[in-house]
């Protein structure tokens, strides 16, 4: 019997880099969709394609059984993902697993949650075997702040609100389970860590893991915006501010059991993340 082939988009990204080995370990053939032929993904068939180029996407989809769809938030993200999903249906792909976000809703005040909801709604109407994964805030997003954390500061406009943030390795493992076992058609899985945590608790866990004193400082949305103006594109920055306002309102604190239900083991805790990434948050060892 032929092993199924799964196309992984964003194969070099936060989820994809762990999803590819997780799928390989489950015995499927992985086709990694990459943009740069010079950076192939080890262990996978590599295909060069760009979501903005439909002909390249059709070629990448040709002959695959299932596809994992994930791309960065951008003003045209919904359009690009909807076109990818249409092309997947047209090329006869049997199964589509969509990476969305916790609390995706068409009427959300958070633009990222609105575009994800738009894609979810479209995919649900295609008649494909499809599954939606809605992960909460990524713990790995802290790696983007590693430079300042290594200097002892964690700053965000979130106050004392708790968020059930998730380790992205668990998102990859959950996606691998959905892509390789039956029974997930039409399901929406909200993926969270095993507990909700405040940013004070995150700073405490990073302090313990690094043996250094790291403190959390709350920031107003205005100060946060001023600090990142010119660093992030305006659309992205405005979306991030909306995301944090949603966290601050306590709207992302529910704990769900989808990770253990899908993977058969507990979700990784904040302490696991902090221990495994301690060098990134330690001066001299940190390169950011
Ligand atoms: N960050 C969070 O806390 C969080 C929480 C929940 C949900 N999410 C969702 O996670 C998703 C991914 O976010 P992320 O920032 O972590 O990004 P990411 O998955 O790391 O995405 C980057 C990947 O997408 C590829 N890519 C970028 N533009 C592409 C294009 N035009 N065509 C094909 N591939 C392209 C990149 O390829 P190259 O290597 O060629 O650049 C890279 O592999 C977003 O939808 C976001 O809403 C994020």
């Amino acid at each position: 019997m032929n092993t199924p082939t799964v196309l992984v988009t964003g194969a070099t990204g936060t989820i994809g880099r762990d999803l590819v080995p997780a799928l390989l370990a489950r015995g499927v053939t992985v086709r990694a969709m990459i943009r740069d032929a010079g950076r192939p993904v080890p262990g996978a068939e590599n295909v060069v394609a760009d979501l903005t180029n439909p002909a390249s996407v059709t070629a990448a989809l040709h002959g695959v059984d299932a596809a994992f769809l994930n791309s960065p938030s951008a003003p045209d993200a919904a359009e690009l993902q909807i076109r990818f999903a249409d092309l997947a249906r047209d090329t006869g792909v049997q199964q589509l697993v969509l990476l969305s976000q916790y609390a995706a809703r068409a009427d959300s005040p958070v633009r990222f949650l609105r575009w994800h909801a738009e894609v979810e709604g479209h995919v649900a109407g295609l008649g494909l075997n499809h599954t939606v994964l809605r992960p909460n805030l990524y713990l790995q997003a802290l790696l983007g702040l590693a430079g300042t954390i290594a200097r002892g500061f964690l700053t965000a406009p979130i106050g004392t609100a708790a968020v059930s943030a998730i380790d992205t390795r668990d998102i990859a493992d959950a996606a691998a389970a959905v892509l390789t076992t039956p029974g997930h058609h039409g399901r929406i899985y909200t993926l969270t860590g095993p507990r909700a945590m405040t940013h004070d608790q995150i700073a405490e866990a990073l302090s313990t893991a690094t043996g250094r004193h790291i403190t959390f400082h709350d920031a107003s949305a205005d100060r946060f915006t001023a600090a990142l103006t010119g660093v992030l594109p305006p659309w992205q920055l405005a979306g991030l501010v909306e995301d944090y306002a949603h966290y601050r309102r306590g709207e992302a604190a529910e704990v769900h059991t989808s990770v253990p239900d899908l993977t058969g083991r507990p979700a990784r805790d904040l302490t696991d993340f902090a221990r495994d990434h301690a060098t990134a948050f330690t001066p001299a060892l940190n390169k950011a």
Side-chain angles (χ1 to χ4, degrees), residues 10-14 33 35 39 50-51 70-73 99-101 115-116 135-138:
T12 55
T14 320
M33 192 169 120
R35 291 192 295 178
R39 290 193 302 135
D50 193 306
L51 290 172
N70 172 37
S71 63
S73 269
L99 196 289
S100 177
Q101 188 173 335
W115 82 251
H116 278 302
N136 206 348
L137 174 67
Y138 295 173

Side-chain angles (χ1 to χ4, degrees), residues 9-17 33-36 39 49-53 57 70-73 77 80-81 99-102 112 115-116 134-139 141 166 168 171 236 243 247:
T9 61
T12 55
T14 320
I15 310 299
R17 72 171 68 99
M33 192 169 120
I34 57 170
R35 291 192 295 178
D36 179 355
R39 290 193 302 135
D50 193 306
L51 290 172
T52 60
N53 178 338
V57 171
N70 172 37
S71 63
S73 269
L80 295 180
Q81 290 204 349
L99 196 289
S100 177
Q101 188 173 335
Y102 182 108
F112 301 154
W115 82 251
H116 278 302
R134 288 183 180 168
N136 206 348
L137 174 67
Y138 295 173
L139 283 173
I166 183 168
T168 54
I171 304 172
Q236 199 78 36
D243 246 346
Y247 301 142

